[in-house]
Amino acid sequence: QVQLMESGGGLVQAGGSLRLSCVASESLSSFTAMGWYRQAPGKQRELVARITLSMRTNYADSVKGRFTISRDNAKKTAYLQMNSLKPEDTAVYYCAGERAGTVWGQGTQVTVSS
């Protein structure tokens, strides 16, 4: 059973940076795309960024220019570089691998203090 494991979350002050990592138990090529989602308390889970096998990316409007998604197929790892963090970025961040059925990681907490 394929697994995704996130890491890199934590507490950071507004304006700071974090890099999230998502390590897969098998090749990233088995997924048509990798995505990062987030869910804040009392809100629905939302797409933050997504990257396809062909390296095409798309971002939520709220993070454009601040976040960058990337993937290293050799390391079976997807990344989310988050800069200029804001308190409203506080959420649990989930990695997702898209194929016939979406595979989800367990999530990592990101807290941005003002």
Side-chain angles (χ1 to χ4, degrees), residues 57-87:
T57 59
N58 61 284
Y59 297 90
D61 288 343
S62 59
V63 306
K64 282 181 181 176
R66 300 189 297 123
F67 290 12
T68 303
I69 189 171
S70 62
R71 58 193 290 164
D72 185 332
N73 293 332
K75 294 183 178 180
K76 298 187 289 185
T77 303
Y79 302 97
L80 184 67
Q81 178 66 44
M82 307 186 293
N83 299 328
S84 303
L85 283 162
K86 304 175 181 180

Side-chain angles (χ1 to χ4, degrees), residues 24-43:
S25 58
E26 60 183 62
S27 172
L28 294 187
S29 298
S30 68
F31 302 104
T32 55
M34 299 297 297
W36 285 96
Y37 291 72
R38 67 186 181 187
Q39 187 167 19
K43 294 188 177 181

